[in-house]
Amino acid sequence: MFLTISTTGDEKNPAADLGFLLHKHPGRAQEFSTSHGIAHVFYPEADAERYTAALLLEVDAVALVRRGKGKDRGGAPDAALGRYVNDRPYAASSLLAVALSSVFSSAIRGVCRARPERARQSLPLRIEVPALPARGGPGLVLRLFEPLGWTVIAEPVPLDTEFPEWGDSRYVRLVLESTALTLAEALRHLYVLLPVLDDAKHYWVSSDEVDKLLRAGEGWLAGHPEQTLITSRYLSRRWSLTRQARERLELVRLAEADDSEVEEIDNAVEEETATEEKPTPLAVQRRAAILTALGSAAAARVLDLGCGQGQLVQELLKDPRFTEIVGVDVSMRALGIASRRLKLDRMGERQAARVTLLQSSLTYTDQRLEGYDAAVLSEVVEHLDLPRLPALEYTVFGAARPRTVLVTTPNVEYNVRWETLPAGHTRHGDHRFEWTREEFRSWAGQVAERYGYTVEFTPVGPDDPEVGPPTQMAVFTRIVKEEKAA
């Protein structure tokens, strides 16, 4: 794993200042131990006009497996041999980024007691990385580095020069040139963007990585056009950490726009608001809305159709109003998880008598589902192909015919409010469709008319004035016909 940093100079600004800025003497080679191998620093060229510092990292593949993201640490599920024989010793990655920050720690902070004025000045820089993984191709390399003031060459590396018909590998030869950046800025760009391009890290990503990212990204990340991709990849796609980083970067952007300090904006809210509870997750709000509707319907015997892993069944069991609860799912695996969640094997006799888990398909009639006060279809209908919906409708409304039926489903109009959801995508990979409010109301109205129910609609979650709530709920009530007197 190899990287070179070159600069040129003249009598006024000699190239030899690079040695002072890096805190590494050009007259001797130096070695530095890392947790994954040995880092070597040396100068292939050092004359009056041009200095080049090289960082060579020798990776110990065994140490990488033993100390890094290997067994039981979330590492990639490679074959046993693949964990020792891979591209980690040869291709620039988070290993090289960590070596940069360790070996050149003073330089990356912009500290140089011998040449403090040079540490603050831009330099004519040329950085070369012979083998850089580029998940996203040369185009992504340009999109990451060019907005930072670099002239970029991202030359694809062929799979095999002897067989050009095999095409290019996922690696590029990277050359960066700039006259507008300080050495510290250049090193911080590399520290963040090398693992971003590799899209992997050799160590466990925890909350302190957000602070590292913001320190290294100070002055450039908040306004970078690829900020979302950078934060997501750098933080190993951990959603909570990515959200935290982006919120803090937004504060930085607002402070810069207002020509003020971040602390001034962050403290604009009264101190007591910092103790406010976090927003209630939508799934929790959905279950609360269902329990409220079941209570209003005076339901005691309840079916949870498509119960999944038993979250709603668990909530129903906490409420003594529900005397009989039946969880139904087609997946035995889901029912097994639900059983463990509910601790059925350790549940008291009286509590266990209230709950039953059944395997059944909602597209086939099942006499065991008849005669209940209420049935819940929570986030179920969107998992069925549209041609199969009529079968579910008959099973629930035509055959089982509970007095009350609750149906919740996503409101596709609200999807534009999810920043992390790409346009045109559903909220879950298994969703066959997601309805607008009008489509849901039309479907529910037709079902109610066909099977003798009335239907009302309730928003679940924040009801946006433009796009409605994130979840929409229909409450069906069976029409009871009075018997004629004899």
Side-chain angles (χ1 to χ4, degrees), residues 7-17 47-50 118 124:
T7 190
T8 57
D10 51 30
E11 290 185 4
K12 184 179 179 181
N13 296 305
D17 285 347
D47 54 44
E49 296 182 352
R50 183 179 178 87
R118 289 292 277 156

Side-chain angles (χ1 to χ4, degrees), residues 95-117:
L95 290 162
L96 186 59
V98 170
L100 272 174
S101 67
S102 176
V103 174
F104 301 135
S105 58
S106 296
I108 206 169
R109 298 197 312 271
V111 175
C112 181
R113 293 182 181 178
R115 299 285 192 277
E117 71 288 347

Side-chain angles (χ1 to χ4, degrees), residues 223-483:
H224 198 292
E226 296 290 342
Q227 180 207 111
T228 300
L229 179 142
I230 292 170
T231 54
S232 176
R233 285 194 178 189
Y234 185 88
L235 298 169
S236 296
R237 291 184 168 81
R238 293 192 60 186
W239 180 80
S240 60
L241 299 183
T242 302
R243 182 182 63 178
Q244 180 183 343
R246 293 183 63 190
E247 288 173 350
R248 291 170 62 179
L249 285 168
E250 179 62 14
L251 282 176
V252 172
R253 189 191 66 79
L254 291 172
E256 290 176 350
D258 196 40
D259 194 23
S260 59
E261 297 296 326
V262 172
E263 290 75 11
E264 296 178 22
I265 295 179
D266 205 19
N267 291 335
V269 181
E270 295 294 334
E271 185 174 349
E272 58 265 22
T273 62
T275 61
E276 292 179 359
E277 295 183 2
K278 295 181 180 179
T280 305
L282 182 58
V284 175
Q285 296 183 60
R286 188 185 303 123
R287 289 193 289 270
I290 290 170
L291 264 65
T292 299
L294 290 173
S296 299
R301 303 174 65 239
V302 179
L303 296 168
D304 181 7
L305 303 177
C307 67
Q309 299 178 12
Q311 292 94 329
L312 178 59
V313 173
Q314 189 175 42
E315 291 299 313
L316 292 169
L317 275 171
K318 295 176 183 178
D319 194 325
R321 291 178 299 175
F322 307 115
T323 59
E324 184 178 353
I325 304 151
V326 179
V328 181
D329 205 284
V330 71
S331 168
M332 282 303 298
R333 180 175 180 273
L335 292 173
I337 296 173
S339 177
R340 291 192 293 273
R341 175 190 293 275
L342 300 171
K343 299 182 176 62
L344 289 182
D345 57 338
R346 287 176 281 170
M347 190 177 287
E349 185 176 347
R350 180 177 297 178
Q351 189 79 331
R354 296 174 58 207
V355 61
T356 304
L357 298 180
L358 298 177
Q359 183 188 26
S360 184
S361 171
L362 300 183
T363 56
Y364 296 94
T365 57
D366 188 335
Q367 291 182 348
R368 295 176 297 175
L369 307 183
E370 297 176 8
Y372 285 84
D373 298 331
V376 179
L377 290 159
S378 180
E379 310 300 285
V380 171
V381 295
E382 63 273 10
H383 290 272
L384 271 70
D385 293 317
L386 282 169
R388 303 189 70 189
L389 267 183
L392 176 141
E393 295 164 9
Y394 177 76
T395 297
V396 177
F397 295 91
R401 291 191 63 77
R403 189 174 71 244
T404 301
V405 180
L406 308 181
V407 179
T408 73
T409 190
N411 168 23
V412 71
E413 297 170 77
Y414 193 89
N415 287 358
V416 296
R417 297 293 187 255
W418 302 116
E419 293 184 3
T420 56
L421 185 64
H425 286 234
T426 57
R427 297 185 199 174
H428 190 282
D430 189 52
H431 285 185
R432 304 302 201 265
F433 61 87
E434 288 178 355
W435 277 323
T436 64
R437 287 169 291 174
E438 183 179 349
E439 289 169 336
F440 181 53
R441 287 172 178 266
S442 174
W443 171 82
Q446 293 174 23
V447 170
E449 183 177 359
R450 188 178 304 125
Y451 292 102
Y453 282 78
T454 61
V455 61
E456 296 180 354
F457 301 93
T458 302
V460 180
D463 197 355
D464 189 286
E466 295 181 2
V467 297
T471 295
Q472 43 194 342
M473 181 167 70
V475 181
F476 295 85
T477 303
R478 194 179 68 212
I479 299 172
V480 180
K481 296 180 181 179
E482 296 182 2
E483 296 184 4

Side-chain angles (χ1 to χ4, degrees), residues 71-90:
K71 184 178 180 182
D72 299 327
R73 291 296 303 277
D78 300 331
L81 182 61
R83 293 172 60 179
Y84 295 92
V85 182
N86 49 54
D87 69 350
R88 299 297 84 180
Y90 314 107

